[in-house]
């Protein structure tokens, strides 16, 4: 079974600083990888996805992630944090089931705090 | 364009009771998945419906059941509620049920269930 590990359940950065949220995956086949963001009392919103087209993936709100097969990593970055980035971030890997369909396996999440 | 809508948003039940949660997928989507998100955890896959049939199931007991209607909307039923069933239940929709793990899921805001 595929899985993802998110290192650091809580990350705190200053406004304007680099944001780096870590995700490592375990997969026996080339994976599809996703980053979702969850704001308080809301559902999950897709930030970006990797589907093997390009290793550097750009998403919404200035976020990007780089797929590194040698490190089995898919870390999320943003050059300059904004107060509105404070939220919980989830990395997920897609399990493709024979015969169709897919399900997402999520990491345990990283709560990002942005301080003035 | 309405996204995924879920009802109710909050509900409180007692142990042993039964609950039904409802989901309307995003316009144009035909596949519905349900996830359980316990406090402080990532979402966990419950099951997925396509063409009114349960196509995949996660590691959840038979107390969890579902249904998909001809208009693609879906229900999640949980019988004999336990304290541990307290969680945010997320519905996600997508289009198509091919072999592509790259299908993007659109999530609703969830139904928060508290079991006392």
């Amino acid at each position: 079974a595929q899985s993802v590990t998110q290192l650091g359940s809580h990350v705190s950065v200053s406004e304007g600083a680099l944001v780096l949220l870590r995700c490592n995956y375990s997969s026996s086949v080339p994976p599809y990888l996703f980053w979702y963001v969850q704001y308080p009392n809301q559902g999950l919103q897709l930030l970006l996805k990797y589907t093997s087209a390009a290793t550097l993936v750009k998403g919404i709100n200035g976020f990007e992630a780089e797929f590194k097969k040698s490190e089995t990593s898919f870390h999320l970055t943003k050059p300059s944090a904004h107060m509105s980035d404070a939220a919980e971030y989830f990395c997920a890997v897609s399990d493709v089931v024979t015969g169709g369909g897919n399900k997402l396996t999520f990491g345990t999440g990283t709560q990002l705090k942005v301080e003035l | 364009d309405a996204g995924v809508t879920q009802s109710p948003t909050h509900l409180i039940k007692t142990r042993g009771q039964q609950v039904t949660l409802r989901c309307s997928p995003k316009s144009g989507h035909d596949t519905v998945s349900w996830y359980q998100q316990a406090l402080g955890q990532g979402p966990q896959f419950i099951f997925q419906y396509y063409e009114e049939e349960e196509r995949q199931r996660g590691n959840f007991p038979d107390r969890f059941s579902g249904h998909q209607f001809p208009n693609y909307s879906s229900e999640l039923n949980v019988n004999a509620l336990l304290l541990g069933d307290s969680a945010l239940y997320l519905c996600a929709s997508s289009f198509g049920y091919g072999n592509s793990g790259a299908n993007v899921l659109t999530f609703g805001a969830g139904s928060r269930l508290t079991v006392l």
Side-chain angles (χ1 to χ4, degrees), chain B residues 52-63:
Chain B
E52 302 179 50
E53 291 185 12
E54 181 183 298
R55 300 294 181 135
Q56 299 184 65
R57 189 178 185 90
N59 188 25
F60 280 81
D62 292 344
R63 297 187 298 108

Side-chain angles (χ1 to χ4, degrees), chain B:
Chain B
D1 178 24
V4 177
T5 58
Q6 293 186 242
S7 64
T9 54
H10 295 82
L11 70 166
I12 299 173
K13 294 286 187 177
T14 57
R15 281 179 296 176
Q17 285 190 312
Q18 179 264 345
V19 67
T20 297
L21 308 177
R22 295 175 177 83
C23 171
S24 292
K26 181 178 179 179
S27 177
H29 285 184
D30 57 7
T31 303
V32 173
S33 304
W34 287 91
Y35 288 78
Q36 180 195 65
Q37 186 179 16
L39 197 62
Q41 301 295 318
Q44 288 198 312
F45 176 77
I46 303 175
F47 40 54
Q48 186 174 65
Y49 278 84
Y50 175 69
E51 292 185 335
E52 302 179 50
E53 291 185 12
E54 181 183 298
R55 300 294 181 135
Q56 299 184 65
R57 189 178 185 90
N59 188 25
F60 280 81
D62 292 344
R63 297 187 298 108
F64 289 77
S65 63
H67 190 78
Q68 186 180 33
F69 299 94
N71 67 353
Y72 309 120
S73 66
S74 177
E75 288 182 350
L76 164 65
N77 301 291
V78 187
N79 294 322
L81 285 168
L82 303 173
L83 295 179
D85 295 332
S86 294
L88 180 68
Y89 288 86
L90 295 166
C91 174
S93 70
S94 57
F95 173 71
Y97 194 76
N99 283 315
S100 172
N103 282 357
V104 173
L105 300 185
T106 300
F107 284 83
S111 293
R112 185 165 297 282
L113 171 65
T114 301
V115 182
L116 301 176

